[in-house]
Amino acid sequence: MPNERPMDAVDAIVAQWRRERPELDVAPMATIGRLKRCAALLQRRLDATFAEFEMGAWEFDVLATLRRSGAPYCLAPTALFSAMMITSGTMTHRLQRLEASALVERVPNPTDARSLLVRLTPAGLELIDRAVAAHVDNEHNILSPLSPAELALLDMGLIKLLAALEPEEQ
């Protein structure tokens, strides 16, 4: 049959639940199970690319957030941790590690003498520019089994799901 597809690990789990609890509609388990499995497998693939640059996902995220902020690639620590949805304590620890690696530096805030800004160093800029190019290539490779129409459909479905899951911005 043309609509048949190979069974995956999620199918096996759902089949077990259907056998054990036939009165439950477990169809959402299949969709959410596949989303969770995809997320875990995607993270492995992304982490492998980050490792090529001797960094983890969090380091990539901090450096990429500074890079996409535009020249002079400088943000207040509060803007950084807000953009990354982490606590200030976690951000402080991460910034200390990146500073020790000479990838970021703290510089005086010209508009507030009481605070510092975080800025990419030339080494940090060079590293993130190479890493983000490899990251985008990796993402293209990951998504290559899907046609442009399938990608558009997937993206629209995910946009709709995210809108339902994320709290409204105030």
Side-chain angles (χ1 to χ4, degrees), residues 46-61:
L46 298 177
D47 288 345
T49 296
F50 301 147
E52 292 173 18
F53 298 90
E54 298 180 2
M55 69 172 79
W58 72 264
E59 291 148 318
F60 179 87
D61 287 344

Side-chain angles (χ1 to χ4, degrees), residues 118-150:
V118 179
R119 179 173 65 196
L120 281 176
T121 63
L125 179 60
E126 186 273 332
L127 177 64
I128 194 58
D129 278 346
R130 287 187 302 115
V132 79
H135 175 64
V136 169
D137 285 345
N138 186 35
E139 289 180 323
H140 279 286
N141 186 44
I142 289 167
L143 296 174
S144 67
L146 301 175
S147 72
E150 289 169 326

Side-chain angles (χ1 to χ4, degrees), residues 10-137:
V10 175
D11 288 319
I13 292 166
V14 170
Q16 289 171 330
W17 279 115
R18 283 188 175 130
R19 183 190 69 232
E20 294 299 314
R21 296 290 309 271
E23 77 281 6
L24 294 177
D25 174 11
V26 295
M29 268 187 194
T31 303
I32 291 173
R34 285 189 182 90
L35 281 170
K36 289 174 62 177
R37 182 133 173 84
C38 282
L41 294 171
L42 283 168
Q43 195 60 56
R44 284 188 209 160
R45 298 273 298 270
L46 298 177
D47 288 345
T49 296
F50 301 147
E52 292 173 18
F53 298 90
E54 298 180 2
M55 69 172 79
W58 72 264
E59 291 148 318
F60 179 87
D61 287 344
V62 172
L63 298 177
T65 300
L66 287 167
R67 177 62 174 97
R68 72 175 182 262
S69 73
Y73 316 116
C74 192
L75 291 172
T78 53
L80 263 175
F81 74 73
S82 295
M84 298 177 62
M85 296 180 288
I86 59 174
T87 67
S88 61
T90 299
M91 180 54 71
T92 298
H93 175 70
R94 290 178 178 184
L95 291 176
Q96 288 169 344
R97 288 186 54 191
L98 289 169
E99 197 171 20
S101 298
L103 298 173
V104 301
E105 60 189 353
R106 296 174 206 241
V107 296
N109 185 338
T111 61
D112 182 357
R114 299 166 296 159
S115 66
L116 296 173
L117 299 173
V118 179
R119 179 173 65 196
L120 281 176
T121 63
L125 179 60
E126 186 273 332
L127 177 64
I128 194 58
D129 278 346
R130 287 187 302 115
V132 79
H135 175 64
V136 169
D137 285 345

